Amino acid sequence: MREDVESLDIRDVTANWVNAEVLSRQIDDRIKALADLSDTPLFFGRLDYLHAPGADQAEGADGERFYIGRRHVHDHDGDPMVIDWRAPVSQPFYRASKKDPLDIALRRRFGYTGGDLTAYEDEHLSDPAEDARTSKLLQREIERPRVGPMRDIVATIQPEQDEIVRSGLGGTVCVQGGPGTGKTAVGLHRVAYLLYAHRERLARTGTLVIGPNRSFLHYIEQVLPALGELSVRQATVDDLVAGSVEVLGTDDAAAAIIKGDARMAQVLRRAVYAHVTMPTEQVVVVRGSRRWRVPAYELEDIVRELLDRGIRYGAAREALPQRIAHAVLVQMERSGEAPDDRVQDAVARNSAVKAAVKAVWPPVDPAKLVLRLLTDADFLAVHSDGILTEDERKTILWARPVRSVKAAKWAPADAVLIDETTDLVQRTHSLGHVVLDEAQDLSPMQYRAVGRRCTTGSATVLGDLAQGTTPWATRSWDEALAHLGKTEGVIEELTAGFRVPTDVITYASRLLPHIAPGLTPVASVRENPGFFALRPVTGTAEVVAACEELLAHEGSTGLISADARIPELAEALTAAGLGHLAPGEETTAETRLTLVPASLAKGLEYDYVVLDEPQAVVDGEPDERTGLRRLYVTLTRAVSGLIVTHASELPAQLT
């Protein structure tokens, strides 16, 4: 298929050089999408239908056989050899069961080792003599060692996951899922499905995946390209709001909580529209020998009408000179003249009209406005009156005045405020679909920033309330969807754990009553209970020894620790001759150990994990609840085994 595309000759099929460039670009993208993946098989399943799909079963039409794979594959004649997993005819591969066979006689799963076909397994779903059983190949694929970046799960998608993946483009879906339930994979595969089902629409409007940090994005970045989808942009929330200012500073938790509060949107709106003042003088437009006057009361009516319409500040400012010019044209017509649109445009550009607009509706620079709010106590007090308390105002005010926008040390929460202000002035471009992962950690103002990117589109929101590790972490998904502007969103819950072994998730779930009471604990469906051990230690040498023990197994190993202990552990690993990577760097056959600060562990997974000093992880956060949530995250990164090493006492909530 790739050779066919590479051999295309477009010299005589394009009308001009522009069309030739566009077509050449499309061909290049197609060639990239058809790249070989040596260890990724083209098909992983087979479906034998009892009757041809779409045929009337009463007619007794013979069944058909389909091979199911990551991509559509056809032969030289264009006949399909492998059916894309997203096609409707592939759906029974994920949904069919002994109770509801969906007209499937046989479902076959293929097993691979390093890209080579090594096994297959059959289920005769319509045969009453055969009992339902757990797929060994499915279990083996789920438990396969993790080396390198995250991979797709098209061979192992479960019915409840498939239902979310194939939900329509028009609605927003929020997925609450505990550790190892596959929520990130479900979100990415939903993007792939939507691009398959609505390709033209999403090609026009665009798609975006938002992750918590760069390490996480690097970890997931190969999933969609492996499925042939190359057009999906990936970013963090900080990337979204990075614009006119450079973020170099940080806030303490108290200031960040207030700046991230949804009430700040009201403060900013007040501050922006406070620039509008009612006109007190008439506008006199001179054209030739005639003078045309628009009285102050008429100008005030125009200004109030624009304010009442609730349109963006900048759009209203652009409309104001045209409204004034229209008032002048009405007078011209009454006097017997016949002005056209060119005359109205000329009047709108008249110096008197420009001066009036500048006085009544002056331009607003979002960064300068936010800077003034954070440095001018009186200005902040006026526009936050009745919204923020005096103590809250003092908390977010900067201690020292700043000369200019460029001289300010902006914090991440400040950039979000500037983004909100920018949207008040000029509408933010909306995409067709946005996936927001690890959403529980966002502040209300960050949710609003993401929501602005999908006002006319839909969203997939992924997260776990128990893993909220910021002081402003959301308390409920209904609240999060409201800030996102998607109150109609449907909330789904995934409770079957495919990644974390039974013994590990059972131990970690001891924290749930303290960090997220009411959440359903994850129930591991893994047949292998995994390896789990608690080890008192006296120093870093024993932590290093635990890493060496786990590296004797196949797969990746992660050493996770409180951020403050990372330098000491890095030194100990180096002294012991153990090479190690930073989060986001790809593991290799030679280097399979990653040293992970607890603050970056979210979303990552390793075959084996050594968790160093749980109490230090808790103590590294500004409050106990956030610390326990961070600990819950670090306890649930292992796929096959976990060793917890501790010189200090374990947190009481675990014992």
Side-chain angles (χ1 to χ4, degrees):
M1 289 171 66
R2 189 179 65 254
E3 288 170 356
D4 287 344
V5 179
E6 289 173 336
S7 66
L8 290 175
D9 186 351
I10 63 172
R11 286 176 296 183
D12 300 323
V13 299
T14 55
N16 52 52
W17 70 271
V18 175
N19 290 347
E21 284 292 324
V22 171
L23 186 55
S24 178
R25 176 67 178 273
Q26 291 175 340
I27 289 174
D28 287 344
D29 288 344
R30 179 66 173 157
I31 292 171
K32 290 177 184 176
L34 291 171
D36 279 327
L37 299 172
S38 58
D39 60 347
T40 303
L42 287 177
F43 61 93
F44 51 80
R46 190 183 106 187
L47 289 177
D48 292 4
Y49 276 80
L50 289 171
H51 308 86
D56 186 350
Q57 295 188 14
E59 297 176 0
D62 291 336
E64 290 189 61
R65 173 179 297 172
F66 300 98
Y67 286 86
I68 312 300
R70 288 163 174 78
R71 308 288 306 282
H72 167 81
V73 182
H74 62 249
D75 61 18
H76 284 289
D77 297 323
D79 294 326
M81 299 177 67
V82 178
I83 305 299
D84 195 300
W85 66 277
R86 297 166 286 189
V89 76
S90 303
Q91 189 169 349
F93 185 80
Y94 304 108
R95 302 275 187 97
S97 65
K98 290 292 291 185
K99 290 183 179 179
D100 185 10
L102 299 177
D103 201 41
I104 300 299
L106 178 142
R107 172 169 58 200
R108 173 169 289 179
R109 299 181 191 274
F110 295 97
Y112 292 85
T113 303
D116 295 326
L117 177 61
T118 54
Y120 68 87
E121 182 181 75
D122 289 346
E123 297 172 87
H124 298 86
L125 298 176
S126 297
D127 183 356
E130 184 177 288
D131 295 331
R133 63 181 186 275
T134 302
S135 168
K136 298 293 184 184
L137 284 181
L138 187 63
Q139 283 288 333
R140 191 189 309 167
E141 176 65 21
I142 289 172
E143 297 177 12
R144 187 154 56 100
R146 265 81 171 153
V147 176
M150 182 180 180
R151 56 179 180 259
D152 65 73
I153 60 163
V154 288
T156 62
I157 294 174
Q158 298 300 292
E160 64 273 17
Q161 295 174 324
D162 188 64
E163 191 172 334
I164 297 170
V165 166
R166 295 178 192 264
S167 55
L169 176 61
T172 289
V173 178
C174 176
V175 182
Q176 158 63 40
T181 54
K183 55 186 178 297
T184 296
V186 165
L188 294 173
H189 287 68
R190 186 176 183 221
V191 172
Y193 172 77
L194 293 176
L195 286 167
Y196 175 87
H198 308 276
R199 190 166 300 280
E200 289 187 9
R201 178 175 170 184
L202 289 177
R204 292 193 307 270
T205 56
T207 51
L208 173 67
V209 174
I210 302 173
N213 52 57
R214 282 275 148 211
S215 297
F216 178 82
L217 291 178
H218 184 72
Y219 177 63
I220 68 170
E221 67 184 358
Q222 294 304 317
V223 174
L224 290 170
L227 300 175
E229 302 300 345
L230 306 175
S231 61
V232 180
R233 190 163 68 93
Q234 297 181 356
T236 64
V237 174
D238 290 344
D239 294 333
L240 291 188
V241 301
S244 58
V245 300
E246 188 176 6
V247 175
L248 297 173
T250 56
D251 280 319
D252 59 33
I257 289 171
I258 297 168
K259 289 179 182 179
D261 195 299
R263 294 174 297 162
M264 287 301 298
Q266 298 174 260
V267 176
L268 294 170
R269 173 170 283 276
R270 278 190 189 178
V272 167
Y273 283 93
H275 288 76
V276 179
T277 57
M278 291 302 158
T280 57
E281 296 180 0
Q282 64 180 353
V283 172
V284 180
V285 177
V286 179
R287 284 187 60 81
S289 60
R290 301 291 301 271
R291 290 174 179 268
W292 306 96
R293 291 177 171 80
V294 182
Y297 70 84
E298 189 171 344
L299 291 173
E300 183 175 338
D301 288 343
I302 293 172
V303 171
R304 291 194 183 281
E305 183 201 353
L306 288 171
L307 287 171
D308 291 342
R309 287 183 60 190
I311 58 178
R312 295 295 193 281
Y313 184 93
R317 187 174 187 275
E318 292 174 3
L320 181 56
Q322 290 291 336
R323 296 297 179 87
I324 296 173
H326 177 73
V328 173
L329 259 66
V330 170
Q331 294 182 32
M332 290 180 176
E333 290 169 349
R334 286 173 182 167
S335 68
E337 295 188 24
D340 57 16
D341 290 345
R342 289 174 299 177
V343 175
Q344 180 168 333
D345 289 340
V347 172
R349 294 193 300 269
N350 183 274
S351 58
V353 174
K354 286 184 176 180
V357 170
K358 187 175 181 180
V360 171
W361 211 295
V364 169
D365 182 304
K368 287 182 179 178
L369 182 137
V370 173
L371 181 62
R372 187 178 176 192
L373 276 173
L374 297 176
T375 56
D376 186 335
D378 293 337
F379 187 69
L380 177 60
V382 168
H383 299 300
S384 63
D385 184 39
I387 301 175
L388 301 180
T389 66
E390 182 63 30
D391 286 343
E392 287 174 326
R393 286 194 282 269
K394 289 179 180 177
T395 301
I396 64 173
L397 272 172
W398 291 357
R400 297 177 181 176
V402 179
R403 292 191 307 274
S404 66
V405 168
K406 287 187 176 180
K409 290 191 69 173
W410 298 101
D414 301 328
V416 178
L417 297 180
I418 294 172
D419 188 72
E420 177 86 26
T421 309
T422 302
D423 185 69
L424 289 169
V425 176
Q426 185 177 2
R427 182 182 296 276
T428 304
H429 173 67
S430 176
L431 299 165
H433 192 76
V434 171
V435 174
L436 175 60
D437 204 354
E438 300 296 349
Q440 72 280 348
D441 277 340
L442 269 60
S443 70
M445 291 298 286
Q446 288 176 316
Y447 278 119
R448 290 175 62 88
V450 174
R452 286 192 285 278
R453 271 73 185 179
C454 56
T455 50
T456 59
S458 55
T460 301
V461 181
L462 312 164
D464 179 12
L465 296 178
Q467 295 186 61
T469 51
T470 56
W472 49 85
T474 191
R475 291 170 293 186
S476 75
W477 291 122
D478 286 328
E479 184 179 304
L481 290 171
H483 292 310
L484 201 66
K486 302 293 181 184
T487 53
E488 80 291 348
V490 176
I491 301 173
E492 303 282 356
E493 188 170 9
L494 296 175
T495 57
F498 303 99
R499 172 171 55 79
V500 187
T502 302
D503 290 354
V504 174
I505 195 63
T506 301
Y507 183 73
S509 294
R510 295 182 182 185
L511 296 174
L512 282 180
H514 307 281
I515 60 177
L519 271 192
T520 304
V522 172
S524 178
V525 297
R526 299 273 297 275
E527 291 189 345
N528 180 359
F531 169 71
F532 174 64
L534 295 172
R535 290 190 184 168
V537 297
T538 56
T540 55
E542 291 162 274
V543 178
V544 172
C547 294
E548 291 175 325
E549 176 185 336
L550 294 181
L551 285 169
H553 300 281
E554 183 184 2
S556 58
T557 297
L559 170 55
I560 304 177
S561 175
D563 292 28
R565 287 183 50 78
I566 291 296
E568 180 184 350
L569 291 171
E571 188 177 329
L573 291 173
T574 302
L578 276 184
H580 57 278
L581 306 166
E585 295 180 345
E586 285 192 30
T587 54
T588 64
E590 295 75 27
T591 309
R592 295 181 290 115
L593 176 63
T594 304
L595 180 57
V596 188
S599 61
L600 296 181
K602 189 173 297 178
L604 305 180
E605 59 182 33
Y606 302 94
D607 288 294
Y608 295 91
V609 168
V610 176
L611 174 58
D612 168 68
E613 288 300 350
Q615 188 60 56
V617 173
V618 177
D619 294 341
E621 300 299 327
D623 60 83
E624 186 180 61
R625 191 190 73 159
T626 304
L628 291 173
R629 286 182 167 186
R630 182 77 71 189
L631 178 57
Y632 182 72
V633 170
T634 59
L635 281 168
T636 54
R637 300 303 96 199
V639 176
S640 298
L642 170 68
I643 297 176
V644 178
T645 59
H646 62 101
S648 304
E649 290 294 322
L650 291 170
Q653 293 83 354
L654 282 176
T655 56

